[in-house]
Amino acid sequence: MKKLWGGAFSQSSDLLVDRFGHSMESDLRFWREDVQASIAHARMLGESGILAREESATLLKGLATIEHEGTDSLPKDVEDIHAAVEARLFELIGPLAGKLHTARSRNDQVAADTRLWLRGACKHICDEIKALQSVLLRTAASHVKTVMPGYTHQQPAQPISLAIHQLAHFWALQRDGWRMEFVKVAGDFSPLGASALAGTGFPIDRLVTAKELGFAAPIPNALDATSDRSFVLDALHVSACTMIDLSRIAQELILWSGPEYGFIRLSDAVTTGSSIMPQKRNPDMAELIRGRTGRAIGNWTSFASTMKALPLGYNRDTQDDKPALFDSFDLTRDSLQLATLMLESATWDTKRLAVAAEAGFSSATEIADELVRHGLAFRDAHEIVGKAVLMSEGQGRFTPEAKNFLAEKLDSSIVERLTGKSAALEIVMNRRSLGSTGRQAMGNQIRHAKRLLKRPGFPSIY
């Protein structure tokens, strides 16, 4: 295996050592970023007079060729991507390729590559979050008057609308997008030029390379620049948070697409069948999102455990940041796309939702509130409605006896209105507070969400 070191060694490393430390397969994910960082470095070396202008130009020409060729031209029997690029550059321009590494180390090089890759990856994730939010918002706007049960403790609690349910996921994703933008900011500083850990005696210009690569500024401390992987931890954390939010959506789709609920039908494009049971329509993609969320959480906790005891300076342990980072971001991007596909192609059974919204004494809180409007203290109203529920135990809805009991405290027409067939819709539509299910409140929330969705990035929800 070709290496960028070895002059002080009298024998070759063991094959197991080579295999265990090999990172080329993972490194290929940011080959382009490695070449781009090398181009910025080579240009700066020429402009700073560290290399002759002609030497710099030759390096730049060779690197441009590699960027155009892609990964097919890079040797794979090397230690890492840095060795691969340098080996291919040697094939193109000869021994001058060895001067590319002047005033830099693989330590600052890999840190720069990772930050560059993450910047582009964050943008892709943010785009997918926006796409899913768009589907949620469209569904909400179409179902302001579609009632459904709202749950606490996974039991029917109060009637809500499908609109408020979908927008609840919208706001969760808005926070995920805001966090992902923070990851971009946290990684937007250049370690290039920090060299191994202490900077260099060559008259390099770190501002020039930082500007060319689009970084906000160079990291001010060379030792910190090569030691820091907190931006990777930030990225893994946000990826895990996003996957958790997607897993909650997936869990609802799994439950609600089953016959016990029957709230939603997922399209053939996102479901699978059984090899033995012809009737099965399995929500496999939702199950995989739910299951693979554990991997994203594991990547975060695993790398946090790796970093917790590392002293300052580059340590080979940090090589394991990239497999975890690539895996988590792949999972997150695919899961966002799948969630979007499942929801935009789904069919909601609004009649089934409405029937479920009326069950489980879901109007009990509204009846208690109505008693309060008629002068009772809420605790007294709570007690009265609780007795009415007890009278109807086992029936799933208020019995005539319970309604008569309530009519002793309220006009019978009010009792009938709050326990009848269309009670859930009336209750949902009459809520007025900010963020509630009422027509005006929901209209305001939808307009608010539309404004944020149209804006670039993910500003504060306010």
Side-chain angles (χ1 to χ4, degrees), residues 268-309:
D268 291 352
V270 294
T271 51
T272 65
S274 165
S275 62
I276 188 173
M277 297 170 284
Q279 83 282 10
K280 291 299 295 296
R281 293 176 56 83
N282 300 323
D284 282 14
M285 296 306 101
E287 291 170 353
L288 288 172
I289 290 172
R290 183 180 61 184
R292 290 177 184 175
T293 296
R295 251 173 55 195
I297 296 170
N299 287 335
W300 172 34
T301 57
S302 174
F303 190 61
S305 299
T306 297
M307 291 298 296
K308 70 177 178 58

Side-chain angles (χ1 to χ4, degrees), residues 65-384:
T65 299
I66 294 173
E67 187 172 25
H68 176 74
E69 291 174 338
T71 57
D72 289 345
S73 69
L74 295 175
K76 307 303 188 292
D77 59 335
V78 292
E79 192 175 15
D80 53 34
I81 189 64
H82 319 301
V85 171
E86 189 167 317
R88 177 56 181 153
L89 189 61
F90 186 90
E91 293 172 353
L92 291 170
I93 67 173
L96 178 60
K99 291 193 174 185
L100 177 62
H101 212 54
T102 305
R104 78 171 182 183
S105 162
R106 287 186 298 177
N107 298 356
D108 62 333
Q109 193 176 351
V110 71
D113 294 351
T114 307
R115 288 169 181 266
L116 287 171
W117 181 89
L118 184 59
R119 183 168 64 196
C122 285
K123 182 184 183 305
H124 292 315
I125 296 291
C126 287
D127 289 344
E128 298 301 341
I129 290 175
K130 286 275 191 184
L132 178 52
Q133 283 184 304
S134 180
V135 172
L136 291 166
L137 183 54
R138 286 201 304 271
T139 304
S142 300
H143 290 281
V144 172
K145 297 179 70 174
T146 298
V147 293
M148 63 176 289
Y151 297 95
T152 62
H153 306 279
Q154 211 166 326
Q155 299 179 47
Q158 292 179 311
I160 62 172
S161 64
L162 181 54
I164 196 173
H165 177 274
Q166 296 290 278
L167 283 177
H169 288 308
F170 177 98
W171 296 115
L173 288 164
Q174 185 74 11
R175 292 190 294 273
D176 292 327
W178 180 87
R179 293 187 189 102
M180 193 61 72
E181 289 196 321
F182 168 79
V183 171
K184 287 197 295 184
V185 173
D188 194 25
F189 297 93
S190 175
L192 205 59
S195 197
L197 75 162
T200 177
F202 289 101
I204 63 172
D205 192 333
R206 294 186 62 203
L207 288 169
V208 166
T209 52
K211 183 178 180 180
E212 178 167 342
L213 292 171
F215 287 115
I219 296 172
N221 183 289
L223 180 57
D224 178 51
T226 55
S227 305
D228 176 42
R229 291 299 184 277
S230 62
F231 66 97
V232 175
L233 284 173
D234 289 334
L236 292 173
H237 171 249
V238 173
S239 178
C241 287
T242 305
M243 286 296 293
I244 288 170
D245 285 332
L246 294 175
S247 183
R248 299 179 76 183
I249 294 175
Q251 172 70 351
E252 290 174 342
L253 294 179
I254 293 164
L255 291 175
W256 293 355
S257 63
E260 294 85 354
Y261 285 87
F263 293 169
I264 190 171
R265 182 180 176 88
L266 300 176
S267 76
D268 291 352
V270 294
T271 51
T272 65
S274 165
S275 62
I276 188 173
M277 297 170 284
Q279 83 282 10
K280 291 299 295 296
R281 293 176 56 83
N282 300 323
D284 282 14
M285 296 306 101
E287 291 170 353
L288 288 172
I289 290 172
R290 183 180 61 184
R292 290 177 184 175
T293 296
R295 251 173 55 195
I297 296 170
N299 287 335
W300 172 34
T301 57
S302 174
F303 190 61
S305 299
T306 297
M307 291 298 296
K308 70 177 178 58
L310 293 187
L312 286 175
Y314 179 80
N315 297 275
R316 191 66 176 272
D317 313 43
T318 57
Q319 176 177 299
D320 286 340
D321 63 346
K322 287 171 289 298
L325 182 62
F326 297 154
D327 183 48
S328 285
F329 269 58
D330 285 349
L331 285 175
T332 304
R333 189 176 183 183
D334 287 348
S335 297
L336 283 163
Q337 291 177 346
L338 282 167
T340 299
L341 184 59
M342 283 188 288
L343 286 171
E344 70 183 359
S345 60
T347 303
W348 293 93
D349 189 333
T350 57
K351 292 182 179 179
R352 189 77 174 257
L353 286 166
V355 170
E358 303 286 351
F361 307 103
S362 63
S363 62
T365 303
E366 189 65 23
I367 297 171
D369 286 345
E370 190 64 33
L371 287 168
V372 170
R373 294 185 188 102
H374 282 70
L376 272 68
F378 183 79
R379 286 298 158 216
D380 294 332
H382 189 287
E383 183 76 12
I384 291 169

